[in-house]
Amino acid sequence: MKGGSRKAEGEKTQGERVPRSALTNVHLYCFSPGGFLRGRDPMEIVSAQIRGGADVIQLREKDMSRRAKLELGLKLRELTEREGVLFIVNDDIDLAIILDADGVHLGQEDIPIRFARPLLKEKIIGISTHSLEQVETAVKEGADYVGIGPVFETATKSDREPLIGFDLLSKMRHVCSIPYVAIGGIGKDTIGSLVEAGCHRAAVISDIMLAPDIEKRCNELRRSLV
Ligand code: TZP
Ligand code: MG
């Protein structure tokens, strides 16, 4: 693992599986390339994010067959385990179990936590939320973290919910007892206002995928969050 600052936090050692409690130290939440691949090597994109300080890699591939996701997921599992980075699978509980991922990320329309938990046991369950009510429900039902957004306009998710507003984002540290990760339109030009609102965890897709130097951009973003 290259992230010296993360090692200094004393949480992860190379080659050791990352515990669920590592969520506390998550700042930069990153993704597999999805629609941003553009002829590049997906593993190189993810490796660059990890070198730049990604704390989480989520396998999020909306247009891949499950077989292709399995194949990419096997490589990502190996890489993230070696580097001491959390590995989360989007949407697909079966695939998270097959890959022995650290957890799964579920949306409001996916399988509810009460059905997912018995299958996932100690694994991490993250839930996408878009309102205070959804946050409270996710916490009550036993989510390990929530995603909260979209914070800003984004072209990455076509079926996105309305923007959550800074009122809710600023309130989150008082009303949400589990780690929360802001998402939607976050990048080098917007991350400062997130931190001003008391949020130190961000999930970022396009700003990283479209950056001329992915490692450098991740490094900048992560340094803004701590
Ligand atoms: N959920 C809410 S907004 C979003 C998701 C998955 C997309 C975030 O992508 P970007 O490019 O960082 O705005
Ligand atoms: Mg989903």
Side-chain angles (χ1 to χ4, degrees):
M1 185 174 69
K2 291 273 172 63
S5 60
R6 284 176 294 152
K7 223 170 202 171
E9 284 157 11
E11 269 286 331
K12 307 165 207 167
T13 310
Q14 193 162 25
E16 205 172 85
R17 186 60 65 88
V18 187
R20 195 187 199 178
S21 61
L23 278 172
T24 320
N25 290 326
V26 164
H27 293 289
L28 185 60
Y29 189 125
C30 294
F31 294 82
S32 61
F36 292 96
L37 189 59
R38 300 173 181 200
R40 297 173 289 180
D41 173 0
M43 295 309 291
E44 181 41 43
I45 291 179
V46 172
S47 297
Q49 292 180 95
I50 292 174
R51 288 195 302 274
D55 300 296
V56 179
I57 297 296
Q58 183 188 116
L59 174 61
R60 182 178 187 271
E61 295 291 337
K62 299 285 182 186
D63 301 321
M64 262 188 199
S65 68
R66 293 185 89 210
R67 177 71 70 96
K69 277 198 282 185
L70 171 68
E71 277 159 18
L72 176 59
L74 287 167
K75 293 187 207 160
L76 292 176
R77 172 67 287 182
E78 202 190 320
L79 174 68
T80 50
E81 180 153 21
R82 194 168 65 232
E83 298 293 334
V85 171
L86 284 169
F87 178 49
I88 302 286
V89 172
N90 190 44
D91 293 339
D92 194 330
I93 294 170
D94 291 352
L95 194 55
I97 293 169
I98 292 167
L99 291 170
D100 195 17
D102 296 304
V104 73
H105 186 90
L106 301 172
Q108 291 292 322
E109 303 300 319
D110 293 321
I111 302 293
I113 301 179
R114 67 181 184 283
F115 295 104
R117 181 57 78 195
L119 299 169
L120 291 161
K121 302 190 173 71
E122 290 302 303
K123 290 190 187 296
I124 292 165
I125 302 181
I127 306 288
S128 290
T129 61
H130 318 289
S131 66
L132 179 55
E133 194 192 355
Q134 289 176 357
V135 170
E136 287 170 345
T137 303
V139 173
K140 203 163 61 198
E141 292 184 347
D144 296 297
Y145 76 91
V146 293
I148 178 87
V151 180
F152 304 102
E153 290 293 344
T154 174
T156 306
K157 188 171 163 64
S158 51
D159 60 342
R160 70 162 182 79
E161 303 286 324
L163 302 189
I164 55 159
F166 265 76
D167 264 8
L168 176 55
L169 189 64
S170 307
K171 255 194 231 159
M172 284 294 283
R173 65 188 143 147
H174 306 296
V175 298
C176 185
S177 55
I178 58 176
Y180 58 96
V181 184
I183 188 163
I186 299 166
K188 71 173 173 35
D189 299 331
T190 53
I191 203 154
S193 55
L194 207 73
V195 176
E196 278 166 29
C199 179
H200 296 263
R201 294 189 185 92
V204 181
I205 304 181
S206 53
D207 187 71
I208 291 172
M209 298 297 168
L210 299 173
D213 182 332
I214 288 180
E215 177 179 342
K216 189 160 161 257
R217 179 61 52 87
C218 286
N219 203 264
E220 286 164 12
L221 293 172
R222 196 178 189 282
R223 275 191 283 112
S224 308
L225 289 167
V226 290

